[in-house]
Amino acid sequence: MAAPKTQAKAPLDELMMAMDVVDTLRHEERVVARELGQDDRDEALKARLRKIYEGQGLEVTERILDEGIAALRESRFVYKPPRPSWETWLAKVWVRRWRYAPWAGGSAVLLVGWVVWAAWSGGADERLAERIGTMASEVSLLAETPDARTAIATLADRGQRAAAAGQTSDAEATLTRLEALKTEIQAAFEVRIVSRPGVPSGVFRVPDVNQRARNYYLIVEAIAPGGTALPRTVLNEETGETKSVTIWGQRVPKALFDRIAADKQADGIVDAAVLGRKTPGQIEIDWATGLPGGAITEW
């Protein structure tokens, strides 16, 4: 087992010897300059090196001497400082931090903090774009209709372009909308007409722009399978304001309004109370009958 160890060490030993040869040549700069100016400079150099090493009791092979002279010419084993950059400048500041510490300790801390912040913020938009893409994929897997998937893809593309442009607030708003959309797609509920004491089941409104017209609304709520009323974000068509409510007025045709009114007058209960259904995988509510659209949050 001794022989392999000797063979394994040989290249390293020879490398160290070649480095020593180069170092010796550098310490003999005047001799090197003089000898390199002659035609037989290589042989003269080798002869001088042999003499130096023999005086130290060391035996140096011809190959190592040749390697040493070649390395000197090629500037091997010479430290070459890196090109100036902010990274090398920062590294020098760190190495000499104790020299600067008495008068610039606070500044050094601020500098390091700034560098860390710059490195983090530089990739923040990329991470935000990745989060948008991941969330969009999750929501798209839940969606069961082409319209829902198209809406998700459009929203995700808008958010990722905002992140790429450095428009962080817009990108974050898109991520929030995707998260809300995920919750919405997962939701399941029935839109039921309210039928309990103290709350009207329907109201009508006279629009300001046409005092002879009437808009009819059924008062409804979104009821989950467990019986809980879910909050819904509803746009009030009269005020233009959006609110989160658990009860609102859904505009319906007069014929449907009259039919529900007659149903409730019969026994005080609305028997056909389900106005629409929302199933998981969909965004829109599947209404039981064609509605003109529009809603109110106050009456």
Short mmCIF file of all heavy atoms in Angstrom, two decimals, residues 263-293:
data_model
loop_
_atom_site.label_atom_id
_atom_site.label_comp_id
_atom_site.label_asym_id
_atom_site.label_seq_id
_atom_site.Cartn_x
_atom_site.Cartn_y
_atom_site.Cartn_z
N ASP A 263 -96.66 34.16 -3.28
CA ASP A 263 -96.24 32.96 -2.53
C ASP A 263 -96.16 33.27 -1.04
O ASP A 263 -96.66 32.51 -0.19
CB ASP A 263 -94.90 32.48 -3.08
CG ASP A 263 -94.41 31.19 -2.42
OD1 ASP A 263 -95.11 30.66 -1.54
OD2 ASP A 263 -93.30 30.74 -2.77
N LYS A 264 -95.56 34.37 -0.68
CA LYS A 264 -95.40 34.72 0.73
C LYS A 264 -96.72 35.13 1.38
O LYS A 264 -96.97 34.82 2.56
CB LYS A 264 -94.37 35.84 0.88
CG LYS A 264 -94.02 36.13 2.34
CD LYS A 264 -92.86 37.11 2.47
CE LYS A 264 -92.52 37.32 3.94
NZ LYS A 264 -91.39 38.26 4.10
N GLN A 265 -97.59 35.80 0.63
CA GLN A 265 -98.86 36.23 1.17
C GLN A 265 -99.76 35.04 1.51
O GLN A 265 -100.63 35.14 2.39
CB GLN A 265 -99.57 37.16 0.18
CG GLN A 265 -98.93 38.54 0.08
CD GLN A 265 -99.54 39.38 -1.01
OE1 GLN A 265 -100.45 38.93 -1.73
NE2 GLN A 265 -99.06 40.63 -1.15
N ALA A 266 -99.52 33.91 0.84
CA ALA A 266 -100.37 32.74 1.08
C ALA A 266 -100.24 32.21 2.50
O ALA A 266 -101.24 31.91 3.16
CB ALA A 266 -100.05 31.65 0.07
N ASP A 267 -99.00 32.08 3.01
CA ASP A 267 -98.82 31.52 4.36
C ASP A 267 -97.69 32.18 5.15
O ASP A 267 -97.25 31.69 6.18
CB ASP A 267 -98.56 30.02 4.28
CG ASP A 267 -97.39 29.67 3.39
OD1 ASP A 267 -96.69 30.60 2.91
OD2 ASP A 267 -97.15 28.47 3.14
N GLY A 268 -97.16 33.30 4.61
CA GLY A 268 -96.10 34.01 5.30
C GLY A 268 -94.72 33.43 5.07
O GLY A 268 -93.73 33.88 5.67
N ILE A 269 -94.63 32.43 4.19
CA ILE A 269 -93.35 31.77 3.91
C ILE A 269 -93.15 31.72 2.40
O ILE A 269 -94.09 31.46 1.64
CB ILE A 269 -93.32 30.34 4.48
CG1 ILE A 269 -93.49 30.36 6.00
CG2 ILE A 269 -92.01 29.63 4.10
CD1 ILE A 269 -93.64 28.98 6.61
N VAL A 270 -91.91 31.96 1.98
CA VAL A 270 -91.56 31.82 0.57
C VAL A 270 -91.18 30.38 0.34
O VAL A 270 -90.12 29.92 0.82
CB VAL A 270 -90.42 32.76 0.17
CG1 VAL A 270 -90.05 32.55 -1.31
CG2 VAL A 270 -90.80 34.21 0.41
N ASP A 271 -92.00 29.64 -0.37
CA ASP A 271 -91.72 28.21 -0.58
C ASP A 271 -90.62 28.00 -1.63
O ASP A 271 -89.71 27.21 -1.43
CB ASP A 271 -93.01 27.49 -1.01
CG ASP A 271 -94.08 27.52 0.09
OD1 ASP A 271 -93.71 27.25 1.26
OD2 ASP A 271 -95.23 27.84 -0.22
N ALA A 272 -90.73 28.70 -2.74
CA ALA A 272 -89.71 28.59 -3.80
C ALA A 272 -88.64 29.64 -3.52
O ALA A 272 -88.54 30.67 -4.20
CB ALA A 272 -90.34 28.78 -5.17
N ALA A 273 -87.83 29.36 -2.48
CA ALA A 273 -86.91 30.40 -1.97
C ALA A 273 -85.56 30.46 -2.70
O ALA A 273 -84.85 31.45 -2.57
CB ALA A 273 -86.67 30.17 -0.49
N VAL A 274 -85.22 29.41 -3.43
CA VAL A 274 -83.89 29.38 -4.06
C VAL A 274 -83.93 30.15 -5.38
O VAL A 274 -84.62 29.76 -6.32
CB VAL A 274 -83.42 27.93 -4.30
CG1 VAL A 274 -82.05 27.93 -5.01
CG2 VAL A 274 -83.33 27.17 -2.99
N LEU A 275 -83.15 31.24 -5.41
CA LEU A 275 -83.10 32.08 -6.61
C LEU A 275 -81.94 31.70 -7.52
O LEU A 275 -81.97 31.94 -8.73
CB LEU A 275 -83.00 33.55 -6.21
CG LEU A 275 -83.18 34.59 -7.30
CD1 LEU A 275 -84.59 34.50 -7.91
CD2 LEU A 275 -82.95 35.99 -6.76
N GLY A 276 -80.88 31.11 -6.97
CA GLY A 276 -79.71 30.72 -7.76
C GLY A 276 -78.79 29.82 -6.97
O GLY A 276 -78.94 29.68 -5.74
N ARG A 277 -77.85 29.18 -7.66
CA ARG A 277 -76.90 28.28 -7.01
C ARG A 277 -75.48 28.55 -7.52
O ARG A 277 -75.28 28.87 -8.69
CB ARG A 277 -77.25 26.81 -7.26
CG ARG A 277 -78.48 26.33 -6.52
CD ARG A 277 -78.71 24.84 -6.78
NE ARG A 277 -79.77 24.31 -5.93
CZ ARG A 277 -81.07 24.36 -6.23
NH1 ARG A 277 -81.46 24.93 -7.37
NH2 ARG A 277 -81.97 23.86 -5.41
N LYS A 278 -74.55 28.39 -6.62
CA LYS A 278 -73.11 28.50 -6.96
C LYS A 278 -72.46 27.19 -6.57
O LYS A 278 -72.50 26.77 -5.41
CB LYS A 278 -72.48 29.67 -6.20
CG LYS A 278 -70.97 29.65 -6.12
CD LYS A 278 -70.32 29.89 -7.48
CE LYS A 278 -68.81 30.00 -7.32
NZ LYS A 278 -68.19 28.76 -6.80
N THR A 279 -71.88 26.50 -7.56
CA THR A 279 -71.24 25.21 -7.31
C THR A 279 -69.72 25.37 -7.39
O THR A 279 -69.22 26.27 -8.08
CB THR A 279 -71.69 24.16 -8.33
OG1 THR A 279 -71.38 24.63 -9.65
CG2 THR A 279 -73.19 23.91 -8.22
N PRO A 280 -68.97 24.51 -6.70
CA PRO A 280 -67.50 24.58 -6.78
C PRO A 280 -67.02 24.41 -8.22
O PRO A 280 -67.58 23.64 -9.00
CB PRO A 280 -67.05 23.41 -5.90
CG PRO A 280 -68.18 23.16 -4.97
CD PRO A 280 -69.42 23.45 -5.76
N GLY A 281 -65.98 25.14 -8.56
CA GLY A 281 -65.43 25.07 -9.91
C GLY A 281 -65.93 26.16 -10.82
O GLY A 281 -65.41 26.35 -11.92
N GLN A 282 -66.97 26.89 -10.39
CA GLN A 282 -67.52 27.96 -11.21
C GLN A 282 -67.29 29.30 -10.52
O GLN A 282 -67.11 29.38 -9.31
CB GLN A 282 -69.02 27.75 -11.43
CG GLN A 282 -69.35 26.50 -12.24
CD GLN A 282 -70.85 26.38 -12.47
OE1 GLN A 282 -71.65 27.02 -11.79
NE2 GLN A 282 -71.23 25.55 -13.43
N ILE A 283 -67.33 30.35 -11.34
CA ILE A 283 -67.20 31.70 -10.80
C ILE A 283 -68.57 32.34 -10.67
O ILE A 283 -68.90 32.96 -9.66
CB ILE A 283 -66.30 32.57 -11.70
CG1 ILE A 283 -64.87 32.02 -11.72
CG2 ILE A 283 -66.29 34.02 -11.23
CD1 ILE A 283 -63.92 32.79 -12.61
N GLU A 284 -69.38 32.19 -11.69
CA GLU A 284 -70.68 32.85 -11.72
C GLU A 284 -71.75 32.01 -11.03
O GLU A 284 -71.66 30.78 -10.93
CB GLU A 284 -71.10 33.11 -13.17
CG GLU A 284 -70.13 33.97 -13.96
CD GLU A 284 -70.04 35.38 -13.39
OE1 GLU A 284 -71.03 35.84 -12.77
OE2 GLU A 284 -68.99 36.02 -13.59
N ILE A 285 -72.78 32.70 -10.58
CA ILE A 285 -73.95 32.04 -9.98
C ILE A 285 -74.87 31.58 -11.11
O ILE A 285 -75.10 32.31 -12.09
CB ILE A 285 -74.69 33.01 -9.04
CG1 ILE A 285 -73.78 33.40 -7.87
CG2 ILE A 285 -76.00 32.39 -8.53
CD1 ILE A 285 -74.34 34.51 -7.00
N ASP A 286 -75.38 30.39 -10.98
CA ASP A 286 -76.33 29.86 -11.95
C ASP A 286 -77.74 30.23 -11.46
O ASP A 286 -78.29 29.59 -10.56
CB ASP A 286 -76.17 28.34 -12.06
CG ASP A 286 -77.11 27.73 -13.10
OD1 ASP A 286 -77.63 28.50 -13.93
OD2 ASP A 286 -77.32 26.51 -13.07
N TRP A 287 -78.28 31.27 -12.05
CA TRP A 287 -79.58 31.76 -11.59
C TRP A 287 -80.72 30.86 -12.09
O TRP A 287 -80.66 30.32 -13.19
CB TRP A 287 -79.81 33.18 -12.07
CG TRP A 287 -78.80 34.16 -11.52
CD1 TRP A 287 -77.74 34.70 -12.18
CD2 TRP A 287 -78.77 34.68 -10.19
NE1 TRP A 287 -77.03 35.53 -11.34
CE2 TRP A 287 -77.65 35.55 -10.11
CE3 TRP A 287 -79.58 34.52 -9.06
CZ2 TRP A 287 -77.32 36.23 -8.95
CZ3 TRP A 287 -79.25 35.21 -7.90
CH2 TRP A 287 -78.13 36.05 -7.85
N ALA A 288 -81.74 30.73 -11.27
CA ALA A 288 -82.86 29.85 -11.60
C ALA A 288 -83.69 30.38 -12.76
O ALA A 288 -84.31 29.62 -13.49
CB ALA A 288 -83.76 29.66 -10.37
N THR A 289 -83.70 31.66 -12.94
CA THR A 289 -84.45 32.26 -14.04
C THR A 289 -83.67 33.45 -14.56
O THR A 289 -82.80 33.98 -13.86
CB THR A 289 -85.86 32.69 -13.58
OG1 THR A 289 -86.60 33.16 -14.70
CG2 THR A 289 -85.77 33.77 -12.52
N GLY A 290 -83.95 33.85 -15.78
CA GLY A 290 -83.24 34.99 -16.35
C GLY A 290 -83.48 36.28 -15.58
O GLY A 290 -84.65 36.66 -15.38
N LEU A 291 -82.41 36.90 -15.14
CA LEU A 291 -82.53 38.14 -14.36
C LEU A 291 -81.92 39.30 -15.14
O LEU A 291 -80.96 39.11 -15.91
CB LEU A 291 -81.82 37.99 -13.01
CG LEU A 291 -82.30 36.84 -12.10
CD1 LEU A 291 -81.52 36.85 -10.79
CD2 LEU A 291 -83.78 36.93 -11.84
N PRO A 292 -82.42 40.48 -14.94
CA PRO A 292 -81.88 41.63 -15.65
C PRO A 292 -80.52 42.07 -15.12
O PRO A 292 -79.83 42.84 -15.77
CB PRO A 292 -82.94 42.73 -15.40
CG PRO A 292 -83.59 42.33 -14.13
CD PRO A 292 -83.60 40.83 -14.12
N GLY A 293 -80.12 41.56 -13.96
CA GLY A 293 -78.86 41.96 -13.37
C GLY A 293 -79.01 43.21 -12.53
O GLY A 293 -80.03 43.89 -12.58
#
